[in-house]
Amino acid sequence: MALIVQKYGGTSVGSTERIKNVAKRIAKFQRQGHQVVVVVSAMSGETNRLIALTKEIQEQPDPREYDVVISTGEQVTIGLLAMALQDININAKSYTGGQVKILTDNTFTKARIISIEENNIRRDLNDGKVVIVAGFQGVDKDGNITTLGRGGSDTSAVALAAALKADECQIYTDVDGVYTTDPRIVPEAKKLDTITFEEMLEMASQGSKVLQIRAVEFAGKYKVKLRVLSSLDEKDAIASSGNNSGTLITIEEDKQKMEHAIISGIAFNRDEAKLTLTGVPDKPGIAFQILNAISQSNVDVDMIIQNVGRDGTTDFSFTVNRGEFEKALSILERVKLQLGAREILSDNKICKISAVGVGMRSHPGVATKLFQTLSDENINVKMISTSEIKISVVIDEKYLELAVRVLHKAFGLDK
Ligand code: ASP
Ligand code: MG
């Protein structure tokens, strides 16, 4: 008997028909004698709909009330799924984040989980119930509803799996695993049987939408056995060892893979915007003053470049999520005045493409190949950043598809 946490994304619970199918899948696991905790997202499109409603009322919605509204989608699906299970004679009970007590900090719209109370869940599991928990939401110490950032149900599932020391955390989604790149752009993309946690983290932070970044971080930190698989796949997935469906995110690097594939995948992110402050006085503390102002407003900064100083001034560029572009721009206007910088340049028609692979550590020449491939297509590179297992470039958004395709091929991922 195993304890499994299963998470079903928006598409998997996108209609009452699909919810009934999910119930059947859960029932199968439960009848095999496993204990099952289920985390669900809102029905597909629902969270976007709720966000649009808030923006019809307030252009910059009040963060606390925003969370009150956008957390409701998950409350609908937990109830419906519990009913669907009861309807096929499975004892099931739903919980909101606050009812479990998934305690978070009070950073509305992207709160972090602090702790999870497990007593109620354990009791229900021991009574033979399937426990269904609303993803994406928690509660702060004052009882305010919080949400965990878009895609946050993945993090809810992994955090629950960590807290309950589950045998496996299964993320059911509308794709059957993690691919070498998005198959909608490159039809030759291949499903990976395994990917290391570090690679997955890079893929997620470089734009692969399969798993939320925080979920991967959590899984790595607490050594949660994490698997991504399809809920639309009829072929049954069993939690027993030897089950090779989906993609398993491993802690151990797969030695064999290291020898064969240097690059595991090409990730990309369209949601990027670039900001440059020119003519900044070149003296100590400048980077701090610029980035501190940005981070104080909870805007995440991704790539950063500072040019070589000349004539006592320098140019400073960074990228942010496109959704936070306006906010970052207005902060930068203020910083510009404070620092006496020359001007702000901005570009929100850019994208980022990354080649990711642990094999890079032991194989030189990956960067050369990447730059050559892009140059052969006359694609201009605007920013570069690297880590031990990743090379990212910022390019014009209009070249995204082309760049992904040629890189996927150049690194032999089509084969
Ligand atoms: N429903 C939330 C969202 O759309 C959380 C999730 O699906 O993971 O972002
Ligand atoms: Mg998701």
Side-chain angles (χ1 to χ4, degrees), residues 203-263:
M203 295 284 273
S205 35
Q206 302 316 317
S208 155
K209 298 277 185 303
V210 179
L211 283 174
Q212 203 206 26
I213 302 171
R214 279 193 192 162
V216 185
E217 277 171 3
F218 233 98
K221 188 162 165 201
Y222 295 99
K223 307 226 179 322
V224 173
K225 211 171 146 204
L226 189 60
R227 190 187 295 278
V228 174
L229 59 188
S230 167
S231 65
L232 308 174
D233 201 347
E234 273 313 308
K235 164 176 99 241
D236 205 19
I238 342 161
S240 63
S241 53
N243 162 31
N244 276 322
S245 49
T247 300
L248 183 67
I249 293 129
T250 56
I251 308 285
E252 303 267 318
E253 288 174 12
D254 187 328
K255 292 278 152 37
Q256 253 190 334
K257 210 180 81 193
M258 266 189 83
E259 266 163 347
H260 296 303
I262 299 166
I263 299 299

Side-chain angles (χ1 to χ4, degrees), residues 7 9-10 41 150-154 171 173 209-212:
K7 181 252 166 177
S41 294
R150 297 307 306 272
S153 302
D154 294 341
I171 308 283
T173 172
K209 298 277 185 303
V210 179
L211 283 174
Q212 203 206 26

